[in-house]
RNA sequence: GGGCGUAUAGCUCAGUUGGUUAGAGCGCCACCUUGACUCGGUGGAGGUCCGCCGUUCGAGUCGGCGUACGCCCACCA
């Protein structure tokens, strides 16, 4: 019945099995399953790009082993996939691939077509043209992207594939936003926000990172009234002097106490500003007095807000000094100085103002060079500025202690794997300084489903919002028209205008459980999968994706979005540096799949534990390859023994002991999986497997061929096959291709449609003492050692093996002696009771 | 500044509630072409378990102090 190939091979098996699984619906989600029979996974939708990254392989394969295990446990596994294609990553890619930039003021050009090469210099295109290019590039990318993902052998149900920009996801995103708005969880505000001058968009606290940058302290002289002399301050940003609205010192700083409440005049611009006190000012920094500008950093924002200071904004959204001086700069010399700076970039303005100040003697001493951390948008190239703008926010506890506590508590409801990762969540939520800024001033993304009425004077009335009913979603306010209006009223007095912004990508991806589960579109499905069982993701996006998802579920459903969070580590290169495109040390998995087979790469990936960064190791992949090859060969070998008669059982004590040991592995590996420790499960199974191949199969092969009669052969044959089938099942979550390959040689149907083995059904199911098995291995090793030392073949004959040791050990060992004799080509085996540890005397035939 | 994690063989890492001489794989060395596997098999060498102090009959494991590395959060005039 077995159909074993003459020369088994791993080459090319992926394509065959991927096609077969797709045809047979092997990973099809049974949506009739009750909620308690479902295991739902909130798969991270990867950002669409040209290719798969080795880090993807690492984390997604780990999740896949859990999905496969749960499926084998009888769960209906809901394992959707999605592509995240609506973010800045897509915009950047379109800009680079086609050499274009979006200029919303341009009209649509129906004849526009990109060239084969990117335009250089970049060409400005209209928003509709830009969006068309986004769609086009995404469509091209996603074909190849999906192909490479399928090659990984994930057991996802591809019929649930989604793209975050598609209408259905846009609808989910807009609906959730409108509900947040209706409940007061989302709001609009005009406020200072961190701003990327290259992307020309606001960015959220979660997307910041500090980078060390060179800078310098410059000492500036502010002037007191009359002849009271100067007040000196140090600043790294003299170019913001025109934006200065006050000086600040610590309330307890006696040196400056007399100054507080008085006014001083700024150098160069001669603007009168007050000296104020605030606890955030640090006496031992600089001179102890700092200038407050609107806005140099987030501390300035705090001071400005808490001290109720005026605003003098001088940095435009393009990162240049604005054309007109802010109010307060009234003197002719002051205005002249400002004119020198207007239109310059920050760098240029800094250079120029230093010259101007020095010429006037208001810059003292030499600049003191320093290195200091500067805030950047994580994808950006220039430091962030702070500009005042109208933005949308979702409350996240950053300004409300009660909400913050509630969200911390939600995080603690989740079972984290590993547990300590909850600390990252807690420290992030605990450190929030403001609400979640979700609007972005970008051409491509999910639009805010909001219009504003325009009053009779032509002013936009931001307090007068117009919404679409939910059943009209998704909408684009730049082309759709609110109820009660007509298109020709767009932008007119008494008419309306659409909100120009789009949502940040996290505002949509924070809804992946709702998107994947078809919230509101398919209530029956949603009820079966939400809240989900598992969110797998990497630790760097706990503060963004994970937290945001918790916020949305908390508001919409009053629940956590999933019971478990499995946090994977990162891939480091072999020198333990983080892999990144800029370092040029990125490994692409496709060539590895080709060279070693997907299973081999999966072996490496699943050897990694959750929460632990792992070094990329081609050696580990080679070991995986060896394992897969061994599975092919041992299957071929075992299936080549005479088939035991129907109804035969494993009766030989050695066989029963082996099966009992295997039963222990089955149970322990299941426990490992239940506690999200796939790597330990693999280690356990693998360890048994090599012992099985190296010792057990070697011990019983002669008997299996009939050397000790038909009963012994039948017992060995049964045990070998039971163990082989069990091992194939145990490896199935890790090595899906080779296990289905070897399974198919002697079974109908896929191994991935089978149940996890029943430990109690192995052998007779009765407990068996493992000592005999262990001792047999020990004596076998001694015999091998004797032959190796004598530099003879393992096949060489042995005259006599004499074992001396405690009676209970000898009794246990008795189950293996006959097979040992065959396996070792031993003429005579004797045992003798004695004290102390087991001693083995081996007499080789040559007298060696 | 606060927090989390890691430290075991040349390398990558296991080591569960404390329990004989601390394990695996790779690499290295030697040997064997033994009924499937040379992408194979057998064996060997190789360790002050980061340091110090403590608890204990007993510590790689528990506690304290420290060191190194990585990360998170905060600060950043």
């Amino acid at each position: 019945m077995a159909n074993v190939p003459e020369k088994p091979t791993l080459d090319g098996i992926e394509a065959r099995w991927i096609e077969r699984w797709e045809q047979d619906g092997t990973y099809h989600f049974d949506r009739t399953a009750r909620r308690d029979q479902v295991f739902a996974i909130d798969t991270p939708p990867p950002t669409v790009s040209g290719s798969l990254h080795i880090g993807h392989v690492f984390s997604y394969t780990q999740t896949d082993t859990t999905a496969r295990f749960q499926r084998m446990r009888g769960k209906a596994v809901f394992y959707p996939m999605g592509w995240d294609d609506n973010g800045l990553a897509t915009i950047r890619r379109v800009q680079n691939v086609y050499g274009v930039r979006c200029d919303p003021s341009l009209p649509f050009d129906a004849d526009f077509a990109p060239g084969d090469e990117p335009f250089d210099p970049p060409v400005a295109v209209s928003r509709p043209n830009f969006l068309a290019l986004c769609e086009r590039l995404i469509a091209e990318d996603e074909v190849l992207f999906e192909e490479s993902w399928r090659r990984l052998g994930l057991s996802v149900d591809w019929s649930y594939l989604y793209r975050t920009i598609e209408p259905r996801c846009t609808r989910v995103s807009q609906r959730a936003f409108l509900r947040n708005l209706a409940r007061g969880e989302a709001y609009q505000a005009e406020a200072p926000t961190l701003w990327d001058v290259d992307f020309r968009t606001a960015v959220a606290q979660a997307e910041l990172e500090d980078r060390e940058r060179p800078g310098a302290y410059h000492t500036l002289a502010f002037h007191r009234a009359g002849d009271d002399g100067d007040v000196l301050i140090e600043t790294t940003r003299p170019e913001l002097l025109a934006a200065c609205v006050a000086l600040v010192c610590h309330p307890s700083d006696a040196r400056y106490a007399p100054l507080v409440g008085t006014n001083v005049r700024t150098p160069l611009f001669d603007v009168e500003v007050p000296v104020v006190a605030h606890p955030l000012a640090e006496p031992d920094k600089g001179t102890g007095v700092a200038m407050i500008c609107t806005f140099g950093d987030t501390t300035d924002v705090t001071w400005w807000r808490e001290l109720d200071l005026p605003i003098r904004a001088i940095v435009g959204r393009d990162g240049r000094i604005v054309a007109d001086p802010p109010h307060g700069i009234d003197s002719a010399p002051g205005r002249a100085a400002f004119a020198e700076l207007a239109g310059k970039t920050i760098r240029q303005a800094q250079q120029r103002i230093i010259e101007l100040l020095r010429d006037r003697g208001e810059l003292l001493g030499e600049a003191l060079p320093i290195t200091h951390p500067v805030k950047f948008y994580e994808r950006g190239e220039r430091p962030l500025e702070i500009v005042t703008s109208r933005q949308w926010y979702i409350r996240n506890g950053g300004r409300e202690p009660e909400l913050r506590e509630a969200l911390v508590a939600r995080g603690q409801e989740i079972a984290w794997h590993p547990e300590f990762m909850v600390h990252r969540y807690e420290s992030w939520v605990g450190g929030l300084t403001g609400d979640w800024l979700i609007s972005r001033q970008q051409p491509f993304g999910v639009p805010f489903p909001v219009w504003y009425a325009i009053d009779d004077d032509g002013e936009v009335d931001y307090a007068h919002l117009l919404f679409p009913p939910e059943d009209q979603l998704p909408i684009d306010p730049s082309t759709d028209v609110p109820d009660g209006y007509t298109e020709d009223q767009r932008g007119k007095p008494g008419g309306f205008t659409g909100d120009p912004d789009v949502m940040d990508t996290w505002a949509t991806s924070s809804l992946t459980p709702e998107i994947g589960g078809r919230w509101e579109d398919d209530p029956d499905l949603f009820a079966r999968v939400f809240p989900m069982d598992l969110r797998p993701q990497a630790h760097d996006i706990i503060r963004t994706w994970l937290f945001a998802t918790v916020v949305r579920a908390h508001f919409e459903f009053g629940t956590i979005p999933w019971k478990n969070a499995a946090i994977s580590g990162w891939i480091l290169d072999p020198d333990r540096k983080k892999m990144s495109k800029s370092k040029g040390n990125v490994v692409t998995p496709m060539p590895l799949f080709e060279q070693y087979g997907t299973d081999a790469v999966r072996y490496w990936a699943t050897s990694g534990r959750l929460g632990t960064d792992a070094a990329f190791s081609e050696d580990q992949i080679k070991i995986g390859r060896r394992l897969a090859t061994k599975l092919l060969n041992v299957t071929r070998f075992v299936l080549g023994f005479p088939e035991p008669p129907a109804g035969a059982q494993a009766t030989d004590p050695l066989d029963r002991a082996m099966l009992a040991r295997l039963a222990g592995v089955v149970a322990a590996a299941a426990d490992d999986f239940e506690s999200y420790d796939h790597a330990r499960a693999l280690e356990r199974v693998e360890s048994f497997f090599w012992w099985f191949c190296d010792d057990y199969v070697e011990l019983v092969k002669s008997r299996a061929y009939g050397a000790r009669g038909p009963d012994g052969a039948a017992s060995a044959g049964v045990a070998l096959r039971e163990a082989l089938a069990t091992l194939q099942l145990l490896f199935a979550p890790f090595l899906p291709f080779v296990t289905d390959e070897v399974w198919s040689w002697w079974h109908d149907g896929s191994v991935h449609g089978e149940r996890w083995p029943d430990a109690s059904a192995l052998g007779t199911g009765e407990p068996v003492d493992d000592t005999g098995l262990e001792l047999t291995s020990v004596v076998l090793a001694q015999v091998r050692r004797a032959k190796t030392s004598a530099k003879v073949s393992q096949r060489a004959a042995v005259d006599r093996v004499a074992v001396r040791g405690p009676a209970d050990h000898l009794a246990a060992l008795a189950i293996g002696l006959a097979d040992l004799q065959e396996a070792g080509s031993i003429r005579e085996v004797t045992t003798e009771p004695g004290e102390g540890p087991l001693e083995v005397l081996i007499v080789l035939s040559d007298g060696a």
Side-chain angles (χ1 to χ4, degrees):
Chain A
M1 116 185 190
N3 180 21
V4 182
E6 198 48 48
K7 193 75 187 165
T9 177
L10 298 172
D11 296 329
I13 64 174
E14 288 92 346
R16 191 161 76 242
W17 287 107
I18 286 168
E19 193 189 336
R20 180 74 180 278
W21 297 335
E22 185 65 26
Q23 271 175 12
D24 296 354
T26 307
Y27 308 123
H28 171 75
F29 171 62
D30 173 12
R31 56 166 302 159
T32 66
R34 293 199 323 264
R35 179 64 191 88
D36 62 356
Q37 299 167 324
V38 169
F39 188 85
I41 300 171
D42 184 21
T43 316
T47 301
V48 173
S49 69
S51 63
L52 198 60
H53 184 280
I54 194 75
H56 290 135
V57 173
F58 186 66
S59 53
Y60 283 77
T61 307
Q62 294 177 358
T63 305
D64 186 51
T65 60
T66 295
R68 290 177 179 277
F69 169 74
Q70 293 289 347
R71 195 176 291 110
M72 293 179 85
R73 288 293 240 188
K75 289 284 174 67
V77 174
F78 183 64
Y79 190 11
M81 192 70 204
W83 307 136
D84 188 8
D85 45 19
N86 75 4
L88 278 172
T90 299
I91 292 171
R92 256 289 147 92
R93 230 175 109 63
V94 166
Q95 289 170 340
N96 294 337
V97 168
Y98 299 116
V100 296
R101 63 183 177 80
C102 180
D103 183 346
S105 68
L106 293 177
F108 177 65
D109 177 359
D111 296 328
F112 175 80
D116 294 334
E117 295 290 316
F119 296 111
D120 187 21
V123 169
V125 299
S126 73
R127 186 164 181 270
N129 284 114
F130 191 84
L131 296 186
L133 291 176
C134 289
E135 286 292 341
R136 174 177 159 158
L137 184 66
I138 288 167
E140 286 173 12
D141 280 351
E142 285 178 353
V143 173
L144 286 173
F145 205 54
E146 179 170 339
E147 206 173 291
S148 62
W149 279 88
R150 282 180 180 262
R151 180 67 190 266
L152 234 190
L154 301 180
S155 61
V156 306
D157 185 341
W158 288 96
S159 66
Y160 287 90
L161 182 69
Y162 64 83
R163 306 162 54 217
T164 53
I165 199 62
E166 72 191 9
R168 189 177 68 77
C169 299
T170 301
R171 180 164 66 236
V172 169
S173 190
Q174 292 185 336
R175 184 195 299 124
F177 168 77
L178 287 177
R179 292 199 184 178
N180 289 138
L181 192 56
R183 291 189 297 255
E185 296 147 2
Y187 63 92
Q188 193 173 205
E190 175 133 17
T193 47
L194 288 155
W195 185 270
D196 186 289
V197 298
D198 291 314
F199 285 102
R200 297 204 189 178
T201 180
V203 301
Q205 186 184 357
E207 296 166 297
L208 307 184
E209 68 182 31
D210 285 347
R211 295 184 200 159
E212 289 292 329
R213 281 292 179 273
Y217 283 120
H218 303 274
T219 306
L220 271 50
F222 282 62
H223 312 301
R224 296 163 72 179
D227 297 325
D228 288 347
D230 289 340
V231 179
L232 304 185
I233 64 107
E234 285 186 6
T235 180
T236 55
R237 301 207 59 185
E239 71 277 14
L240 294 180
L241 179 59
C244 178
V245 293
L247 296 188
V248 65
C249 65
H250 195 271
S252 69
D253 193 334
R255 294 171 296 171
Y256 298 108
L259 277 178
V260 175
T262 69
N263 288 334
V264 295
R265 304 194 76 82
T266 63
L268 197 58
F269 300 109
D270 196 33
V271 175
E272 192 168 79
V273 296
V275 180
V276 295
H278 192 278
L280 275 182
E282 296 185 32
D284 54 350
K285 267 191 190 162
T287 62
V289 189
M291 71 170 180
I292 302 175
C293 302
T294 53
F295 296 96
D297 60 28
T298 52
T299 316
D300 280 341
V301 177
T302 308
W303 280 325
W304 167 80
R305 192 171 52 229
E306 296 187 5
L307 299 169
D308 201 22
L309 296 164
I311 199 161
R312 289 195 179 105
I314 64 163
V315 179
R317 297 184 178 194
D318 56 357
R320 291 172 183 271
I321 305 296
V322 295
D324 299 321
H327 72 91
I329 299 185
D330 300 322
S331 71
R335 298 182 76 88
F338 191 87
E340 293 261 356
L341 307 176
K344 285 187 158 52
T345 65
I346 297 294
R347 274 178 92 93
Q348 295 163 343
Q350 184 176 88
Q351 219 164 18
R352 185 65 188 131
I353 200 168
I354 287 170
E355 294 165 3
L356 294 171
L357 284 162
R358 193 173 294 288
D359 288 348
R360 290 175 49 111
E362 293 176 318
L363 180 76
L364 304 180
E366 289 303 309
L368 177 68
I370 55 157
T371 303
H372 63 154
V374 177
K375 287 198 191 314
F376 280 73
Y377 173 44
E378 59 190 357
R379 315 179 75 98
E381 283 154 15
R382 283 198 280 174
L384 292 170
E385 294 299 334
I386 296 175
V387 305
T388 300
S389 55
R390 174 172 299 280
Q391 303 288 347
W392 286 104
Y393 296 84
I394 291 181
R395 299 182 194 280
N396 66 359
R399 334 179 68 116
E400 295 146 283
E402 274 181 33
L403 177 57
R404 183 192 306 246
E405 279 167 36
L407 290 169
V408 168
R410 285 282 179 233
Q412 289 160 343
E413 276 182 61
I414 298 164
W416 295 75
H417 311 283
E419 275 177 36
F420 66 80
M421 285 294 178
V422 72
H423 298 306
R424 299 226 181 166
Y425 178 93
E426 290 163 344
S427 65
W428 174 254
V429 181
L432 288 169
T433 56
D435 284 330
W436 174 21
L437 195 167
I438 57 165
S439 42
R440 296 291 181 273
Q441 290 66 53
Q442 288 289 320
F444 181 65
V446 174
F448 284 88
V450 171
W451 301 270
Y452 306 98
I454 297 179
D455 65 21
D456 294 337
D457 301 329
E459 290 291 310
V460 176
D461 184 356
Y462 290 105
H464 188 168
L465 284 79
L466 307 166
F467 312 113
E470 281 192 5
D471 61 13
Q472 281 179 18
L473 299 177
I475 65 125
D476 180 347
S478 71
T479 53
D480 292 311
V481 177
D483 286 348
Y485 290 84
T486 56
E487 176 61 35
D488 58 5
Q489 290 177 282
R490 187 182 294 275
K492 304 271 175 60
F496 70 95
T497 186
D499 189 297
D501 291 347
V502 297
M503 295 185 205
D504 172 46
T505 192
W506 299 115
T508 298
S509 59
S510 59
L511 297 162
T512 49
E514 291 85 349
I515 289 170
R518 307 272 199 281
W519 174 50
E520 296 280 303
D521 294 330
D522 188 342
D524 175 77
L525 176 69
F526 193 66
R528 290 173 202 275
V529 301
F530 187 90
M532 296 195 167
D533 294 273
L534 176 62
R535 155 63 71 86
Q537 63 162 81
H539 52 66
D540 55 330
I541 51 175
I542 289 174
R543 68 181 189 171
T544 48
W545 191 38
L546 191 147
F547 175 55
T549 311
V550 170
V551 170
R552 304 309 284 281
H554 173 75
F555 284 144
E556 191 62 46
F557 304 103
T559 172
I560 47 175
W562 357 258
K563 298 183 192 77
N564 297 280
I567 309 297
S568 60
W570 274 344
I571 294 309
L572 311 174
D573 73 9
D575 297 329
R576 303 207 67 79
K577 297 197 188 79
K578 193 193 168 190
M579 278 194 186
S580 68
K581 283 180 189 161
S582 58
K583 292 201 185 82
N585 58 358
V586 171
V587 174
T588 51
M590 261 312 180
L592 297 169
F593 293 163
E594 296 294 341
Q595 187 178 354
Y596 299 107
T598 301
D599 281 333
V601 183
R602 286 177 58 109
Y603 170 86
W604 159 76
T606 53
S607 313
R609 293 173 141 69
L610 286 175
T612 305
D613 294 344
F616 173 74
S617 160
E618 198 155 335
D619 284 345
Q620 251 335 80
I621 294 173
K622 289 177 186 167
I623 297 163
R625 170 81 177 186
R626 196 169 71 108
L627 176 63
T629 304
K630 191 75 174 180
L631 193 55
L632 286 179
N633 286 310
V634 79
T635 299
R636 177 170 141 73
F637 190 41
V638 166
L639 295 182
F641 293 122
E643 199 170 329
Q649 288 213 344
T651 52
D652 187 287
L654 188 81
D655 301 335
R656 289 179 48 209
M658 181 277 292
L659 290 170
R661 181 182 279 191
L662 178 55
V665 171
V666 168
D671 287 347
D672 293 337
F673 268 121
E674 297 286 2
S675 49
Y676 292 88
D677 196 349
H678 58 266
R680 181 180 249 175
L682 172 59
E683 198 177 21
R684 222 185 267 287
V685 174
E686 189 189 4
S687 163
F688 178 90
F689 175 72
W690 285 106
W691 170 82
F692 174 79
C693 293
D694 294 345
D695 281 11
Y696 178 77
V697 173
E698 290 298 322
L699 279 167
V700 305
K701 66 183 180 187
S702 294
R703 177 156 57 87
Y705 279 121
R708 288 168 53 204
D711 289 352
S715 175
V718 168
L720 283 164
R721 282 164 176 256
E722 270 193 41
L724 182 69
T726 304
L727 283 164
Q728 290 175 356
L729 292 165
L730 294 182
F731 275 127
F734 304 99
L735 312 173
F737 295 104
V738 70
T739 49
D740 227 0
E741 176 71 15
V742 294
W743 188 262
S744 74
W745 295 346
W746 57 319
H747 297 90
D748 296 326
S750 170
V751 72
H752 303 299
E754 296 293 320
R755 287 286 178 268
W756 187 257
D758 179 2
S760 67
L762 281 171
T764 59
E766 289 160 27
V768 180
D769 183 10
D770 198 52
T771 312
L773 208 52
E774 188 55 40
L775 291 175
T776 305
S777 283
V778 167
V779 177
L780 177 62
Q782 302 249 26
V783 174
R784 285 169 171 166
R785 188 176 301 124
K787 293 181 181 180
T788 299
S789 305
K791 301 192 175 184
V792 298
S793 160
Q794 289 298 324
R795 209 172 35 172
V798 176
D799 268 343
R800 189 164 73 92
V801 171
V803 184
R804 186 169 179 281
D808 56 339
H809 281 197
L810 295 180
L813 183 61
I815 68 168
L817 287 182
D819 287 328
L820 190 66
Q821 200 170 349
E822 290 287 344
S825 311
I826 304 164
R827 290 208 182 85
E828 187 191 14
V829 178
T830 61
T831 60
E832 182 190 347
E835 297 302 313
L838 211 63
E839 290 169 38
V840 184
L841 173 75
I842 296 151
V843 183
L844 297 176
S845 297
D846 298 340

